[in-house]
Amino acid sequence: MNAPEPSLSHLAEVVPPLEQIVVACAIAQSQRIGAQPLIRGLDDAAFAALCARCLPGVPLTNGRSASAPFDEFDELFALLCEHASPRDELSVWIAAAIATAAQRDEHLWQDMGLPSRRELSAILNLRFPSLAALNDRDMKWKKFFYRQLCLRAEVPICKSPNCADCSDLAVCFGPED
């Protein structure tokens, strides 16, 4: 006997609201700007599973692109996955959405289509707490991620030995309106 299809209310229990909002916004933003794939790093089966779990009844395809791959997607995706907690499928999907959006030009929360930086910070603290904790001075998330990647690669990127003395302080820590 086959198990019944889960109801929408059951899916809401499986995928907490914050995670649903983040995934839905990331996909909607990608569709709005015509990005292909909508979320990089997920094969067709993983993308279909993500949509079935987080956006039931919404017919989407991830698409493919013949264009060059994003420069730092793999490194950022790996960094996020290393800090995922719990290390489950949903964290991997969210890491892929964040790493995809990070390749765009606006603030990360805007690139993900989120209402504000607050939702981005909340999901990072919830799903990637050890990484989020390293951002103890509230640096802009995209700047923070790229700083982490440069530190890992032992590539100096900063003009100054510490943030307090840097001429780019406002660029890294200023408001994100």
Side-chain angles (χ1 to χ4, degrees), residues 48-102:
L50 174 137
C51 289
R53 191 163 159 199
C54 298
L55 301 164
V58 179
L60 293 168
T61 57
N62 201 20
R64 294 288 174 255
S65 174
S67 64
F70 297 129
D71 290 336
E72 296 87 15
F73 173 86
D74 293 332
E75 292 86 355
L76 180 53
F77 180 65
L79 175 69
L80 288 160
C81 288
E82 287 169 22
H83 289 273
S85 180
R87 291 180 186 220
D88 62 4
E89 192 172 52
L90 189 53
S91 289
V92 171
W93 293 339
I94 293 170
I98 291 169
T100 299

Side-chain angles (χ1 to χ4, degrees), residues 147 157-168:
R147 180 173 170 81
I157 60 165
C158 294
K159 298 176 183 180
S160 179
N162 67 63
C163 293
D165 296 333
C166 184
S167 62
D168 280 342

Side-chain angles (χ1 to χ4, degrees), residues 127-146:
R127 286 283 171 167
F128 312 96
S130 60
L131 183 60
L134 295 174
N135 191 4
D136 58 357
R137 296 198 46 219
D138 203 27
M139 182 180 269
K140 294 176 184 176
W141 285 113
K142 202 180 286 186
K143 295 269 186 195
F144 171 77
F145 290 145
Y146 283 94

